Every structure is written in C-alpha cells, then in structure tokens.
C-alpha cells in the first residue's frame, strides 16, 4: 500500500444471507482529500461505511488504514486508531448542553473518560478549544443550551463539530445534509470544507451539488459494485453513471 493512501480496501464484499450488498469494492483514499461515495438508493454506500468501521463484518476482502490491515479489528479499536464516523441521523447527547457535547469529545485527548460524579474541572480544561469549535460552526451563542432544543440543522452542525473535536486522522461523514432544510445546506457544506482543510474525509452524500462543491475524487457505486471513479467533471459526463441515476433513455 502506498504511503499516499490513508485508507484502502481490496475486494471488500458483504453478503447478507444471499443478498450481496457490497461486491468486490476497491477503494484508495488519498491523504488530505475529500473522497465522496455516491450512488442511487440501495447502491451499498452506507453498508461500505458500516464495513469500514466494523459495525458489520465483511464477508470477504481486506481493509487497510495507513498501511495496517484492520479487517479483523472491532469498532472501538478502529475508533482509537483515528477513524471516526458520523451517522445519517443526528447523534448528539440530547440532554447535555451544546458545549458539554464538545467538551466530552475533546477530553479524549486528555486520556480520561467522562465522570458524571466528579468536579467539572476536567471539562474546564478544554473550555477554550470547545468555544473555538462552537464559534467555527456558529453555535457559540447556544453554548449553554441543551442539544435537544436545537433546530435540526444546528444539531447537524454540532455533530460535525463534535466529530472534528475528536481530531481523527480519517473522518467518515454519512449523509451530512440528510434531513436539513435547503437554507442550511450551504452553511453545512461550507463548514465541512473549512473544517476539513488538511484532513482526510470520506463522505457519503445524496445531494450532488454538495458532492460537486466538496469532493476531490468520487467513487460511484451501483448494486453494490464500483461503477466509476474520478473527479466530478468526469463522473458527471459518464453515460453509465447517468443511466444508474435516471435510467436508460428510450430509443
């Protein structure tokens, strides 16, 4: 595996009792890029994410992170190596404040775990950095508000900020604009681009305008297999990709 690749899969396959959701998928994710995975519904995009983070085990194939095979590792070990993912549904601590959500993520660097019965001194150590992240996602004014009370678009922003607070080497974003209003898509896209500078991100996204704005390289899946790969300008002109999305034109 080349040092330029942070993540690589070889012949990654997942068979659910005879239904092949992912078939022989080869991925090579370059360091410092935003790599998008797209495809029509049922293409296997989220299953690939679940395989990469071992939420489901592969039926066959291999996964490598920074040259080390991680195929057999459990999800906790993979996260500790520096691979962090978000989910399609916002996943915050709803009854903690906005700043506490960020603090809990930041304390990972301190080598301690969150203790509900201890003094808040541990969390106070990361206050400055927590506020920097909240300012970056325009949530500083909501710092003391419970996460459950945020509008959905702001919850997604908080989740993204929490993901980046963990300072992972590889970030997997699963449908970051899913379920948010049209008016929030631009700010969320800009947020990902700004916070992702110098980082490696793999993103599953259904909104092709977001993909066009963010991605350096795109892998297109169809029926669980890799259909095409390349920059957006190339992919958008690919006849097979168009057919997968909108169907074969009538003669």
């Amino acid at each position: 595996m080349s040092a330029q690749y942070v993540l690589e899969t070889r012949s990654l396959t997942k068979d659910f009792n005879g239904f092949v959701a992912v078939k022989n998928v080869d991925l090579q994710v370059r360091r410092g890029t935003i790599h998008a995975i797209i495809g029509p519904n049922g293409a296997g995009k989220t299953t690939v994410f679940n395989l990469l983070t071992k939420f489901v085990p592969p039926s066959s194939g291999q996964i490598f992170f920074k040259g080390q095979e991680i195929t057999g590792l459990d999800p906790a070990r993979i996260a500790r190596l520096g691979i962090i993912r978000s989910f399609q549904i916002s996943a915050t601590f709803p009854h903690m404040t906005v700043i506490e959500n960020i603090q809990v993520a930041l304390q990972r660097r301190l080598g301690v775990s969150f203790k509900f019965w201890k003094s808040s001194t541990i969390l106070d150590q990361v206050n400055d950095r927590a506020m920097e992240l909240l300012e970056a996602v325009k949530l500083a004014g909501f710092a003391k508000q419970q996460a459950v009370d945020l509008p959905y678009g702001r919850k997604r922003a908080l989740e993204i900020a929490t993901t980046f607070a963990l300072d992972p080497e590889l970030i997997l974003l699963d449908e970051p604009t899913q379920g948010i209003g049209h008016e929030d898509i631009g700010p969320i896209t800009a947020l990902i681009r700004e916070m992702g500078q110098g980082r490696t991100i793999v993103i599953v996204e259904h909104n092709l305008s977001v993909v066009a704005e963010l991605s350096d390289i795109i892998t297109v899946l169809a029926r669980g297999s890799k259909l095409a790969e390349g920059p957006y300008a190339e992919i958008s002109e690919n006849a097979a990709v168009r057919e997968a999305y909108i169907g074969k034109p009538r003669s």
Side-chain angles (χ1 to χ4, degrees), residues 36-73:
I37 300 176
I38 69 171
N41 290 337
K45 305 182 295 296
T46 295
T47 300
V48 167
F49 263 32
N50 288 337
L51 292 170
L52 294 177
T53 50
K54 295 303 294 296
F55 280 78
V56 295
S59 302
S60 60
Q62 296 172 288
I63 307 168
F64 296 86
F65 177 60
K66 298 194 302 182
Q68 174 187 349
E69 185 170 3
I70 62 171
T71 313
L73 301 185

Side-chain angles (χ1 to χ4, degrees), residues 122-200:
I122 289 177
L123 294 184
D124 288 344
Q125 296 179 54
V126 295
N127 268 349
D128 291 344
R129 178 56 180 155
M131 286 306 300
E132 285 177 10
L133 285 165
L134 291 181
E135 287 169 4
V137 299
K138 298 180 172 56
L139 288 177
F142 300 86
K144 299 301 183 181
Q145 186 170 323
Q146 284 196 328
V148 69
D149 296 325
L150 292 176
Y152 189 74
R154 295 191 186 277
K155 285 180 184 176
R156 295 298 276 177
L158 175 58
E159 182 183 3
I160 291 170
T162 303
T163 302
F164 280 95
L166 292 166
D167 199 25
E169 291 198 48
L170 176 63
I171 299 169
L172 309 180
L173 298 178
D174 193 3
E175 300 275 16
T177 67
Q178 174 75 25
I180 69 174
H182 178 75
E183 68 281 1
D184 290 321
I185 290 177
I188 291 292
T189 303
L191 171 62
I192 294 170
R193 175 165 291 286
E194 180 179 349
M195 298 192 71
Q197 290 182 11
R199 299 177 184 267
T200 307

Side-chain angles (χ1 to χ4, degrees), residues 216-239:
D216 298 298
I217 195 78
I218 300 168
T219 297
V220 185
L221 299 181
R223 298 188 180 93
S225 298
K226 188 161 78 171
L227 177 64
E229 190 169 83
Y232 183 81
E234 179 182 316
I235 291 299
S236 63
E237 298 297 324
N238 187 302

